[in-house]
Amino acid sequence: MSLSWEKYWEIAEALNEAHPTQDLIHLNDADLLKMIVALPDFNDEPVPPSPKDLEAVLTCWTELDNPEPQEKIPAAAM
Amino acid sequence: MAETKSAWESVGGNNGDRIGGNANKFSYTDKDGKTHTLQVDCGTMFSDKELTGYDNFMPDLFEADGFLLTHCHMDHIGGISHMLNLRRDELKANREAGKEFVIHCAPYTQKLLEDNLALQKMPREEWPKFEKVEDGKPFEVAGFKVEPFAVSHSAPDAMGFVIESPDGVRMMTMGDFKTAPVPLGKGWDNKKIAEIAKKGVDLMFLDSTSATQEGVCPPEKDVEKGIKDIVAQSEGGMIVSAVIASSAHRLHTVAMALAKHANETGKRPRTIILDGGSLKRSYIALKRCGYDIEKQVKQATGQDIKIYDARAPEAQKVPKSERFYVCTGTQGEELASFYRASQGTNRNIPMKGGCPVFVYNLQSCIPGNEEQYAAMEQGFKDQGCTTYFPDRYKENKYLTHVSGHAKAGDIKLACDLVAKNSPRPTTVVPVHGDPAQRKAVMKIAQDAGLKAAIVPNFAAVEVSKEGKISYVQPTSKQEVWIGINDKNDNFIEPDFQYDRVTRDVDTGRLRVVETIPYTKAPVEDERRGKGKNKEGKWNNPPKKNKGKNKGGRFNPAFVKKGRGGR
């Protein structure tokens, strides 16, 4: 499947497969961008329309590593 | 020519029985009879799906010319993604006409909301635009002057607002707050609240959640000692702990405790290893918003505390006896990091290998979760771990959690500051609490010399130009909510159904009024290479997993219980 910026979830899936042990919490935007552009199926401009596109990829990547349901913590405990 | 008026209405949050689904409508009706509306917060309220058929409830939709958020917790922002779903066509038309949907909030709140939208796979072009809100920097929206001020809460960047209508009526909402200092960002400031009050406050809305508890809510710093004691008790062993991911200050507290313990003992500090998506996102959001925990701790203590992602090779290189795992899943949520560790199935946390393992749940059991909470502790015990799971109803050995909500002492302080400084009479409206909690706030306010009123959902408080206050009672005992049902019960690929329901205030009984039609994300199938082609055949049919979890990775087909709110 051809990957373009709007497919941020699919980009995250491809990254997760390509870099299964990547430290996600210290990954900076420049390195993330390099990884995305290097994906074999990536077929879009080398610069995202907005920095938020990169952030969306990283957000989804953190979820793909170990998906979990949302915490159901009542307001009183927070 | 009509008489102008300013008004407030709770369209969710002042519920009879439980807290959640917070949404406040501030409005101003001008001399031509036109009403300008500002919405503050749009949260979700958890629901027991087996009882109600819904994963969550959210406030009903209403027209708003401006939108503010107080902080990032789901009971304040969880409804926004659903609102965007339900208004997809209208917002698209607005965008095409050059009118963006704009939300005013602080950076950390924005980041957590954006994470929520990304996890729901909302097309990027449908994300709202954001305007940054900063403590002490007023702005105008929808004809209102808004004066934001920082408050302390368990999430960073929590804000209160003074919302001033064109008539000069000033309505002050504290959001969720306490008065003790917080480690990250700005927090409650008596001087600032007094200064704001000096300009006059007509209505003040106060968080009632912990109002029935005596004293003042302790500062986050008090947890440091508990964590230090835990570390001292776990000498030579690996520590595995769990926290509430949305209480992001706690990460700073853990880091400070490790650094101080190292300073006091002369030993090398432990390394923090994060496991669990929501916790990692909290940490990433903190960094993006300029909260650098490692740097702050270094400046405060001189210690280099490392924080690693559990999946990274660097984490595995740390000697086990120097690891301090911080996981998601305090309540035994089946797929969360902590639960999987308790079953020995978390590949990021090696439970075997000759090193003693000390397990600390930093959060007590929330009523309703007793079974899975106990099962999780037993799972760790079965693996030979030493466990500490605090008891909600007893005094515990270690203080590992403090709330973010004002107790009676905090509320008294807020009332005193306003009573002393506001040049005009102030009426307190308790919010975010059950009836007993709201009554407790009313009494505190009255004792401070302020007026106070209990105002249920869908009742309005109106303030005339001259400051005269009147109440409009709800016309019906049927509250209106939107029930959110993930038909898939699969938080990876949710399929939402939205019903407008009424809820009888006295009996709690629900009645479906209508299923709200909405256009699903238009590019969803195209984006994922799914959907049908012109011949009606499926493009790129989904792979069959044959009951196996491919490559040890998560298989969404196994998800039985969804999170709904995502």
Side-chain angles (χ1 to χ4, degrees):
Chain A
M1 182 178 25
S2 174
L3 295 172
S4 50
W5 284 112
E6 71 268 21
K7 297 177 184 174
Y8 57 83
W9 181 273
E10 288 77 2
I11 293 174
E13 283 177 333
L15 289 169
N16 199 38
E17 203 152 306
H19 306 279
T21 60
Q22 173 63 47
D23 181 333
L24 301 180
I25 64 174
H26 295 109
L27 182 58
N28 63 45
D29 284 353
D31 289 340
L32 177 59
L33 182 58
K34 276 184 207 161
M35 286 178 184
I36 293 171
V37 174
L39 286 170
D41 289 339
F42 185 76
N43 184 22
D44 204 341
E45 296 296 321
V47 178
S50 152
K52 294 291 169 196
D53 294 289
L54 278 178
E55 290 184 28
V57 170
L58 186 57
T59 296
C60 295
W61 196 354
T62 59
E63 180 70 358
L64 283 164
D65 185 41
N66 47 273
E68 54 192 6
Q70 186 187 45
E71 290 177 320
K72 285 199 166 185
I73 308 290
M78 293 194 291
Chain B
M1 196 176 286
E3 195 178 324
T4 60
K5 67 181 178 199
S6 308
W8 168 87
E9 181 184 334
S10 165
V11 288
N14 273 1
N15 320 317
D17 49 359
R18 75 190 109 151
I19 302 165
N22 297 287
N24 298 276
K25 179 158 88 174
F26 292 84
S27 62
Y28 172 69
T29 306
D30 65 22
K31 57 183 177 5
D32 299 323
K34 189 176 179 225
T35 301
H36 307 260
T37 312
L38 194 55
Q39 179 164 354
V40 178
D41 291 337
C42 181
T44 40
M45 178 165 61
F46 301 131
S47 168
D48 184 336
K49 194 166 184 175
E50 283 179 19
L51 287 176
T52 66
Y54 298 103
D55 301 280
N56 288 286
F57 290 98
M58 65 177 277
D60 198 7
L61 308 173
F62 61 89
E63 289 296 324
D65 305 302
F67 217 104
L68 309 178
L69 297 176
T70 57
H71 66 286
C72 67
H73 287 152
M74 294 306 282
D75 60 324
H76 293 261
I77 68 166
I80 288 176
S81 58
H82 300 291
M83 186 187 69
L84 296 174
N85 279 343
L86 288 167
R87 290 189 159 160
R88 176 164 284 117
D89 293 342
E90 170 202 337
L91 295 175
K92 185 181 176 204
N94 285 349
R95 274 197 306 277
E96 285 168 358
K99 190 182 165 194
E100 295 285 355
F101 180 67
V102 180
I103 293 177
H104 290 75
C105 63
Y108 189 77
T109 307
Q110 175 185 339
K111 180 66 183 119
L112 271 277
L113 176 55
E114 286 171 343
D115 284 355
N116 189 246
L117 300 178
L119 293 173
Q120 287 210 4
K121 302 170 194 166
M122 183 160 287
R124 279 280 295 112
E125 67 272 17
E126 295 187 6
W127 289 22
K129 300 291 174 226
F130 290 92
E131 289 288 339
K132 186 178 174 182
V133 165
E134 288 180 272
D135 172 52
K137 292 197 175 169
F139 58 93
E140 284 195 26
V141 56
F144 295 87
K145 286 180 188 164
V146 179
E147 198 176 341
F149 57 93
V151 294
S152 301
H153 188 43
S154 51
D157 278 4
M159 288 285 169
F161 301 109
V162 173
I163 295 166
E164 185 178 322
S165 76
D167 273 352
V169 171
R170 286 169 60 84
M171 301 172 273
M172 183 182 201
T173 178
M174 294 287 184
D176 290 7
F177 83 104
K178 63 179 187 178
T179 61
V182 286
L184 301 170
K186 293 180 180 174
W188 179 271
D189 181 346
N190 285 341
K191 214 170 138 189
K192 193 171 291 165
I193 300 294
E195 278 168 19
I196 289 169
K198 277 178 188 164
K199 297 178 203 166
V201 177
D202 296 287
L203 294 176
M204 177 162 66
F205 306 97
L206 286 176
D207 173 5
S208 316
T209 316
S210 299
T212 51
Q213 296 174 33
E214 290 302 315
V216 174
C217 188
E220 177 64 29
K221 196 174 170 40
D222 284 10
V223 175
E224 265 180 36
K225 184 181 179 307
I227 308 282
K228 269 200 304 177
D229 291 345
I230 278 172
V231 176
Q233 285 291 311
S234 313
E235 201 59 50
M238 183 170 92
I239 295 177
V240 181
S241 74
V243 299
I244 300 175
S246 50
S247 296
H249 291 298
R250 196 63 37 86
L251 282 177
H252 179 277
T253 306
V254 170
M256 281 296 286
L258 297 183
K260 287 184 178 175
H261 179 263
N263 278 348
E264 287 165 16
T265 59
K267 291 181 178 160
R268 200 156 59 177
R270 283 179 184 260
T271 296
I272 297 173
I273 303 176
L274 303 183
D275 197 46
S278 50
L279 200 53
K280 292 179 195 177
R281 287 191 290 279
S282 282
Y283 178 80
I284 292 167
L286 288 175
K287 281 183 54 159
R288 287 201 183 269
C289 296
Y291 299 123
D292 188 331
I293 293 176
E294 288 103 316
K295 198 173 162 187
Q296 283 193 17
V297 172
K298 171 88 175 168
Q299 282 169 351
T301 66
Q303 289 287 349
D304 275 315
I305 298 292
K306 300 272 183 251
I307 302 179
Y308 289 140
D309 182 341
R311 79 201 304 259
E314 290 80 7
Q316 304 307 324
K317 287 177 197 158
V318 177
K320 283 187 176 179
S321 60
E322 293 180 12
R323 296 182 195 177
F324 192 114
Y325 282 96
V326 183
C327 307
T328 51
T330 63
Q331 300 305 304
E333 295 91 339
E334 220 171 302
L335 295 164
S337 161
F338 203 43
Y339 178 82
R340 287 185 290 111
S342 78
Q343 303 303 301
T345 57
N346 187 332
R347 64 199 155 94
N348 288 338
I349 306 179
M351 302 297 287
K352 308 272 179 221
C355 176
V357 180
F358 296 89
V359 178
Y360 299 93
N361 195 338
L362 304 185
Q363 177 68 41
S364 61
C365 179
I366 287 161
N369 298 335
E370 290 82 359
E371 207 176 308
Q372 60 265 40
Y373 192 85
M376 186 164 57
E377 182 172 18
Q378 191 56 49
F380 282 118
K381 281 182 174 164
D382 291 345
Q383 296 181 77
C385 306
T386 304
T387 62
Y388 170 78
F389 276 50
D391 189 320
R392 183 178 182 83
Y393 302 104
K394 288 181 186 164
E395 193 157 325
N396 290 295
K397 191 174 174 187
Y398 309 113
L399 177 65
T400 56
H401 176 72
V402 292
S403 159
H405 292 280
K407 291 187 179 182
D410 302 275
I411 292 162
K412 184 177 182 312
L413 175 61
C415 289
D416 286 344
L417 284 168
V418 172
K420 194 177 162 192
N421 293 290
S422 176
R424 44 181 129 149
T426 304
T427 298
V428 168
V429 179
V431 294
H432 205 285
D434 66 24
Q437 292 159 345
R438 282 184 273 150
K439 263 186 195 166
V441 170
M442 185 164 84
K443 174 140 192 346
I444 295 166
Q446 288 168 338
D447 288 348
L450 301 172
K451 293 180 199 166
I454 299 286
V455 183
N457 280 341
F458 303 104
V461 184
E462 293 181 352
V463 189
S464 73
K465 198 173 180 177
E466 294 73 33
K468 190 184 164 206
I469 290 179
S470 53
Y471 302 95
V472 182
Q473 293 304 321
T475 52
S476 163
K477 284 202 164 183
Q478 307 291 315
E479 291 188 348
V480 182
W481 290 86
I482 293 175
I484 303 164
N485 172 24
D486 174 8
K487 290 187 285 183
N488 278 349
D489 277 343
N490 180 337
F491 60 81
I492 303 292
E493 298 283 353
D495 180 13
F496 293 118
Q497 174 188 324
Y498 299 103
D499 292 333
R500 185 166 279 116
V501 298
T502 57
R503 179 179 177 276
D504 188 280
V505 174
D506 293 331
T507 64
R509 190 168 293 170
L510 295 171
R511 188 173 69 84
V512 178
V513 176
E514 61 170 338
T515 293
I516 310 174
Y518 77 103
T519 308
K520 291 186 181 176
V523 292
E524 179 70 9
D525 283 345
E526 290 166 38
R527 287 172 66 237
R528 302 187 65 74
K530 294 177 186 171
K532 289 179 180 175
N533 60 22
K534 284 179 187 169
E535 288 80 45
K537 290 183 180 171
W538 287 98
N539 291 321
N540 192 12
K543 290 172 193 167
K544 289 182 180 172
N545 295 293
K546 295 179 183 171
K548 288 182 181 174
N549 202 352
K550 185 188 163 195
R553 295 272 162 204
F554 176 76
N555 180 350
F558 294 157
V559 178
K560 299 293 180 203
K561 288 184 178 176
R563 83 175 109 187
R566 240 194 213 173

